[in-house]
Amino acid sequence: MKIALTVNGTAITRDVEGRQNLVDFLRYDLGFTGSHIGCEHGVCGACTVRVDGTPIRGCLMLAAQADGCRVETIEGVSESGAIAALQRAFRAENALQCGFCTPGMLLTAQALLERNPDPDPVAIREAIGGNYCRCTGYHAIVQAVLGAARSRSAKAPAAAPAVIPVVAAPENGDYIGRSMIRPQTARLVAGRGTYTDDVAVSRLLHAAFVRSPHAHARIAGIETAEAAALPGVVAVVTGREMAVHCEPWVGVLKNYVGMKSAPQYPLAVDKAVWQGEPVVAVVAESRALAEDGCARVRVTWEPLPPVVDAEAALAPGSTVIHPELGDNLVLETRIKSGDVEAAFKAADAVYRETFDTGRHTVVSLEPRVVLADYDPADLTLTVYHSGQAPYMLHDILSRHLRIPEHRVRVINKDVGGSFGLKIHTYPDEIATCALAVMLGRAVKFLADRVESFQTDIHSRDHRVTAEVAVKRDGTILGMRLDDLAPVGPFSMYPRSSVVESGQVLRTTPGPYRFRDYEARGRVVFQNKTPMSQYRAVGHPVAALVMEAMVDRVARELGLDPVEVRRRNLLTADMYPHTAPTGLFFEKLSHEESLDAVLDLASYRTLCAERDRLRAQGVYRGLGLCVFIDLTVPGAQTYGTGGARISSQDGTTIRLEPTGKLTVISSITEQGQGTDTILAQVAAATVGVSIEDVRVVTGDTMVTPYGGGTWGSRGAGIGGEATILTGRALKENILKVAAVVLEADALDLDVRGGQIVDARTGESRLPLSELGRVAYFRPDQLPKDFQSELTVTRHYVPRHQPLAYTNGVQLSYVEVDVDTGFVKLLGHWVAEDCGRMINPMLVDEQVRGGVAHGIGDALFEHCVYDEQGQLLTTTMMDYLVPMAVELPDIGVAHVETPTAYSEGGFKGAGEGGVAGAPGAVLNAVNDALGPFKARVTRVPMTPEVILRALGKL
């Protein structure tokens, strides 16, 4: 049908399909890609556009319904200048990270300020309550809207500007330790990001997949003729047909003795082992046509008994998912340190508890997406991928598709959130790349939200039984732990699915002094979506269990939970320290962090308020959680297990002829601010203004070889590589300067983009002039001298396998004992991530992590029925924390730099997640204390609370 409308002030007439929604029309037909597709059910707000001046959800409105309307997208509103104050404020507050939600968030905030020019924080949270942001925790967004409102108000005092300067050059040239605005956010707030789904290539085809409706079933037959005959369908490929073109993979790490898993193919060949496993690929001229083709594929199924429960999976007589492996046990691990039996015999009391942490998933706002383009003329495969580790995928595609490495290129453009989701090998993504090779065409696959819930990795599904032996004064003598962790039907490749359980076993004793410890972990197969590690691998479970047991000890013995922690925490004089599980802690700051969070929150005042209100029938609680978190992983994490994942990263810095710097790094950017911190390090090390630095990441054709971004390694490894490169380049620059100026290089320095006298600071030569001579007039240099103004250096941690960070979180909640609802009143964090490069970015990484952890504690749960059918397949039934659910999150810092690297950097991306679930659980149990009720299950839904209270 033909429609006529106005888009961003331009009259447009087009033919559209009746089923096409407005956001798809704007994106794919008109090229306005600033509006994004996040949930497809009107829940997340990423697709927000203005229709006749009112914000609407573009995924819920058909393009045909816009006939005769005036439509404005983020691009048009931005160009008009109508949201300039909001854009400046969002950048100044770092109110965006990946930027995927930002266009919708800005348009929603604009509508709020139009109807209420002076909103308070509560009004702002309510207004943006339907816009989902996984990255920020909403605190900075609220502050940005408040700042924009002030800047628009005539009442605003002149001395209180809404924004800070984009660049505030320090007098000493040291940008490290300074809060600075991310330069790349300028295009993100304008809706000009380029995410993988925004990439345009010629002759593009689209893939969709027929997926198993059963958790466990044999494929008896597949009929594809009707699908293949559909106009617009280019190919229909079964698992057996694709297996000829792609080698299977096995997700086993050799350093886990006894671990096993089965070979996995891009498409199921003989049977499907989870609901949602891809079985048949359909490739067509559009995604809609590919889905039409999928509906015409006929699969004959022979259902098999599903293995759903983890304990039942190990029971005698249970169905074995992979008969060739003998049983459903992936791995059993045992750890023992000291004399556990003696510790328990010496105890005055022993406490035992079983904890269940619910399976959940990442829910990054940008779904998984891959665009593979194979050129049969020069036998090259170019893959645009929303991912974190381009060289890992580069290696996998080369080996499994049998393409020489130098003919594979992987490009990560802007990434709309990842959090560890996008470092794994997904069958549908590999199938898409194989289809491109088979067809000699570009093929794109974009997961819809139902597919995301069914096929993105799940995580944190554990049943942990803990037992602690203690003295009457609260001293912990020893601990026993048993972890049962179901991980789906395969161990994920190439990082495996056993690392999370291993982290639970090894990090649960974490910050405490006791030496007598015994643990068992069992990882088992089941017919559910595959599980693997993502943000804060295992630490949220470990910290929750340990800290809940510490609070149990305090409650049972009538002791102050703060003092029980002080009695048992490692102290400053105990470092370096090797934990009973073998983990090495160089130096941590538990005492300082505990003091910092108690001061930040005015803890004793909150205790008094809690006690006063409790007497009035209002049940509030306070919960602490001390945590540790691993960062900066070296080769021991994956390399020793045989996984081809680089533990080193590299930086190339090129001095341009104009005196500017181009920094090219193997570390990747998904919204953390990696580009900015590398620019800060490069500018400080070489001696130039940060305005003169450009950072390039995410392209295996141009960047040095490296591991990418995962495990909070961007600063600790990428930053260190940049220091080494910057120093080497500066040395080379000074050699050239010494020749040009006929001076001693030791008497010169680089400051503010100038060659200066090292003693007086007097300018001797601009870098632009040095670049001109070195590049264009080398005849003016001695014949035996060669300038080298492009330098590459790599860095890998060698002195410790991991750099641990630490912190303490405190949560304040109110529990409605009649409904079971939990209201978050406040949350505070003191974190020590080593030397900070950009404190503002660290603050928002911490807040975003806390929000993620609060979701674990209260909302998020992948629920299955007894047949292995996933029941939470949309964002209407899988709950995530939104702005109205979250309190302001206070952040304080303790800095304990690592001495094992020059920069002293560690990582900051995961600690917020690590401590939040345990803090909230302890707070809820504190609130329930008067009822002698106790919760040991997360998420703590109203049903869980009411059952603990005996009301259900």
Side-chain angles (χ1 to χ4, degrees):
M1 64 177 294
K2 188 178 292 294
I3 63 171
L5 68 164
T6 300
V7 179
N8 294 333
T10 300
I12 291 173
T13 302
R14 287 286 192 281
D15 287 316
V16 300
E17 282 193 81
R19 63 181 174 177
Q20 187 176 34
N21 65 34
L22 179 58
V23 69
D24 283 353
F25 171 68
L26 293 169
R27 287 180 55 79
Y28 303 129
D29 290 24
L30 303 185
F32 292 110
T33 57
S35 303
H36 300 129
I37 302 167
C39 70
E40 299 151 15
H41 296 92
V43 177
C44 74
C47 62
T48 300
V49 295
R50 290 170 65 97
V51 176
D52 294 335
T54 301
I56 62 97
R57 301 301 165 96
C59 71
L60 296 183
M61 184 177 189
L62 294 174
Q65 292 176 291
D67 185 32
C69 294
R70 174 172 52 88
V71 177
E72 298 167 279
T73 70
I74 185 66
E75 292 94 336
V77 177
S78 177
E79 289 172 6
S80 74
I83 58 171
L86 272 170
Q87 290 170 316
R88 288 194 299 271
F90 265 59
R91 297 191 65 211
E93 295 287 349
N94 196 37
L96 65 156
Q97 292 182 27
C98 77
F100 201 80
C101 74
T102 304
M105 199 73 75
L106 285 166
L107 294 180
T108 302
Q110 176 198 20
L112 167 66
L113 295 181
E114 286 175 349
R115 64 179 183 268
N116 180 1
D118 188 25
D120 62 18
V122 172
I124 295 170
R125 287 184 180 273
E126 289 177 350
I128 65 173
N131 290 72
Y132 172 53
C133 176
R134 186 53 128 179
C135 298
T136 65
Y138 305 100
H139 172 93
I141 296 172
V142 173
Q143 295 303 309
V145 178
L146 287 171
R150 286 194 298 268
S151 74
R152 290 159 53 120
S153 171
K155 301 175 185 178
V163 298
I164 58 175
V166 173
V167 176
E171 292 184 4
N172 62 359
D174 190 355
Y175 290 93
I176 298 174
R178 295 177 58 84
S179 291
M180 307 202 73
I181 295 175
R182 297 162 54 206
Q184 61 269 38
T185 56
R187 57 185 176 80
L188 296 179
V189 298
R192 296 186 176 278
T194 304
Y195 301 90
T196 300
D197 190 40
D198 304 336
V199 174
V201 298
S202 61
R203 301 178 69 232
L204 178 63
L205 299 172
H206 299 261
F209 295 91
V210 178
R211 298 182 182 274
S212 172
H214 302 282
H216 197 194
R218 188 172 290 108
I219 301 170
I222 302 176
E223 298 176 15
T224 62
E226 185 183 353
L230 185 69
V233 169
V234 175
V236 182
V237 181
T238 66
R240 198 168 298 281
E241 292 165 342
M242 183 168 285
V244 176
H245 299 273
C246 181
E247 298 286 345
W249 55 86
V250 181
V252 169
L253 294 175
K254 298 174 183 176
N255 54 335
Y256 289 89
V257 178
M259 182 187 176
K260 59 181 183 281
S261 189
Q264 187 175 5
Y265 290 87
L267 303 175
V269 176
D270 294 316
K271 71 173 184 175
V273 290
W274 87 88
Q275 180 208 19
E277 183 176 8
V279 178
V280 179
V282 178
V283 184
E285 298 292 343
S286 72
R287 172 63 184 254
L289 285 171
E291 291 181 348
D292 290 345
C294 288
R296 288 163 172 78
V297 174
R298 302 288 180 260
V299 182
T300 302
W301 296 99
E302 294 178 358
L304 298 168
V307 179
V308 179
D309 181 74
E311 292 182 352
L314 298 178
S318 174
T319 299
V320 177
I321 297 173
H322 303 291
E324 68 276 19
L325 299 181
D327 57 31
N328 292 320
L329 182 66
V330 180
L331 177 70
E332 180 170 329
T333 302
R334 291 180 181 270
I335 296 172
K336 188 169 185 180
S337 171
D339 192 338
V340 179
E341 290 74 15
F344 273 76
K345 286 180 181 178
D348 294 326
V350 172
Y351 302 111
R352 177 186 175 93
E353 209 141 42
T354 296
F355 300 88
D356 289 288
T357 58
R359 168 186 282 251
H360 51 263
T361 189
V362 175
V363 201
S364 63
L365 193 50
E366 179 202 33
R368 291 187 297 106
V369 55
V370 60
L371 191 163
D373 190 359
Y374 186 72
D375 185 346
D378 64 358
L379 306 176
T380 58
L381 176 65
T382 301
V383 177
Y384 297 89
H385 182 238
S386 179
Q388 302 172 237
Y391 277 106
M392 185 195 83
L393 181 61
H394 180 273
D395 174 78
I396 288 169
L397 294 174
S398 172
R399 289 187 293 112
H400 291 276
L401 299 183
R402 309 181 195 101
I403 302 173
E405 262 188 310
H406 67 292
R407 296 196 179 278
V408 178
R409 181 183 186 185
V410 177
I411 301 170
N412 294 156
K413 305 292 281 187
D414 291 319
V415 176
S418 185
F419 315 105
L421 164 67
K422 298 172 181 176
I423 53 170
H424 302 284
T425 301
Y426 292 93
D428 45 24
E429 295 182 6
I430 302 300
T432 302
C433 296
L435 290 166
V437 176
M438 293 166 66
L439 299 173
R441 295 274 298 273
V443 181
K444 179 168 71 175
F445 167 66
L446 171 67
D448 64 31
R449 188 53 64 183
V450 173
E451 289 177 306
S452 294
F453 279 114
Q454 290 181 337
T455 63
D456 291 359
I457 60 152
H458 294 178
S459 195
R460 313 224 215 283
D461 189 358
H462 294 261
R463 173 165 292 172
V464 182
T465 299
E467 194 174 20
V468 294
V470 298
K471 302 297 284 184
R472 288 189 183 88
D473 64 0
T475 301
I476 301 173
L477 302 178
M479 186 175 194
R480 293 191 179 106
L481 191 83
D482 186 87
D483 177 40
L484 181 62
V487 294
F490 295 105
S491 174
M492 286 294 287
Y493 180 74
R495 297 169 189 265
S496 88
S497 298
V498 302
V499 174
E500 183 168 88
S501 179
Q503 291 289 77
V504 171
L505 301 188
R506 289 175 175 81
T507 62
T508 295
Y512 294 105
R513 305 175 195 175
F514 65 88
R515 305 297 304 169
D516 300 314
Y517 178 70
E518 184 175 15
R520 177 181 69 161
R522 290 170 295 164
V523 178
V524 302
F525 291 123
Q526 63 178 171
N527 293 118
K528 294 182 182 179
T529 299
M531 287 206 346
S532 194
Q533 47 269 19
Y534 78 93
R535 195 176 195 178
V537 183
H539 294 295
V541 178
L544 179 147
V545 170
M546 187 72 245
E547 293 301 294
M549 294 306 293
V550 172
D551 264 27
R552 171 84 186 275
V553 168
R555 182 168 297 280
E556 295 284 354
L557 298 176
L559 302 173
D560 184 335
V562 172
E563 296 311 313
V564 172
R565 286 172 172 84
R566 291 195 195 280
R567 181 175 293 278
N568 288 283
L569 283 170
L570 293 166
T571 55
D573 59 339
M574 296 179 178
Y575 293 102
H577 176 80
T578 300
T581 59
L583 301 182
F584 175 74
F585 302 144
E586 176 197 2
K587 188 176 183 182
L588 301 176
S589 58
H590 306 300
E591 297 166 295
E592 298 95 322
S593 298
L594 180 58
D595 289 340
V597 82
L598 296 177
D599 289 343
L600 180 67
S602 300
Y603 176 72
R604 293 302 172 190
T605 301
L606 292 177
C607 288
E609 178 181 88
R610 173 201 60 191
D611 296 343
R612 175 175 54 81
L613 290 172
R614 188 171 290 178
Q616 301 171 17
V618 177
Y619 297 99
R620 292 186 174 183
L622 288 158
L624 284 163
C625 184
V626 181
F627 66 90
I628 61 171
D629 184 47
L630 70 84
T631 71
V632 196
Q636 294 90 332
T637 303
Y638 291 115
T640 55
R644 295 168 64 88
I645 302 167
S646 177
S647 55
Q648 69 172 15
D649 273 282
T651 300
T652 297
I653 305 181
R654 181 174 67 236
L655 179 73
E656 305 293 353
T658 56
K660 316 298 185 185
L661 297 184
T662 298
V663 178
I664 308 169
S665 174
S666 59
I667 291 291
T668 54
E669 165 70 39
Q670 295 94 45
Q672 310 94 319
T674 300
D675 289 2
T676 303
I677 64 171
L678 295 183
Q680 289 180 249
V681 172
T685 306
V686 178
V688 302
S689 168
I690 196 170
E691 290 181 305
D692 294 338
V693 181
R694 183 189 179 195
V695 178
V696 177
T697 64
D699 187 341
T700 61
M701 182 70 79
V702 299
T703 62
Y705 203 98
T709 299
W710 49 273
S712 298
R713 62 200 304 279
I717 297 180
E720 193 69 15
T722 303
I723 287 177
L724 298 177
T725 308
R727 186 191 302 122
L729 176 62
K730 183 175 184 177
E731 183 179 330
N732 290 356
I733 289 171
L734 293 176
K735 288 178 181 177
V736 177
V739 171
V740 172
L741 297 172
E742 297 182 350
D744 190 328
L746 295 176
D747 294 331
L748 303 173
D749 197 5
V750 183
R751 300 174 194 167
Q754 301 276 328
I755 305 297
V756 301
D757 184 287
R759 184 175 60 84
T760 66
E762 178 185 357
S763 177
R764 299 288 304 276
L765 183 74
L767 280 182
S768 57
E769 176 62 14
L770 182 144
R772 184 192 70 81
V773 172
Y775 286 113
F776 307 131
R777 293 302 308 274
D779 58 295
Q780 295 181 351
L781 302 175
K783 297 185 186 306
D784 60 350
F785 179 83
Q786 176 61 51
S787 59
E788 296 287 351
L789 299 180
T790 300
V791 175
T792 300
R793 293 290 185 270
H794 285 80
Y795 175 75
V796 64
R798 299 184 186 278
H799 299 289
Q800 56 181 346
L802 298 159
Y804 278 89
T805 64
N806 69 276
V808 183
Q809 297 194 26
L810 173 67
S811 195
Y812 189 35
V813 306
E814 183 176 312
V815 179
D816 186 326
V817 296
D818 293 319
T819 66
F821 277 89
V822 177
K823 181 179 181 180
L824 292 157
L825 304 173
H827 198 100
W828 299 268
V829 186
E831 185 178 28
D832 185 345
C833 63
R835 183 186 182 195
M836 289 189 291
I837 299 172
N838 187 319
M840 178 173 68
L841 301 190
V842 174
D843 283 351
E844 297 316 309
Q845 283 290 295
V846 171
R847 289 191 175 103
V850 168
H852 212 149
I854 288 173
D856 296 0
L858 295 177
F859 305 111
E860 302 185 42
H861 196 192
C862 296
V863 180
Y864 284 82
D865 69 13
E866 65 278 0
Q867 294 301 313
Q869 296 288 310
L870 181 63
L871 304 179
T872 47
T873 57
T874 75
M875 290 184 67
M876 292 184 290
D877 35 44
Y878 182 98
L879 302 182
V880 293
M882 307 290 267
V884 291
E885 280 87 38
L886 293 178
D888 280 333
I889 300 165
V891 181
H893 300 288
V894 177
E895 291 189 71
T896 307
T898 174
Y900 291 128
S901 68
E902 192 157 328
F905 313 136
K906 300 180 188 177
E910 301 172 90
V913 191
V920 176
L921 175 71
N922 282 341
V924 168
N925 281 328
D926 183 39
L928 298 180
F931 301 92
K932 308 300 182 185
R934 186 164 171 81
V935 175
T936 58
R937 176 185 296 271
V938 292
M940 291 174 284
T941 61
E943 178 186 1
V944 170
I945 301 290
L946 293 176
R947 288 192 183 280
L949 288 166
K951 296 186 177 183
L952 285 181

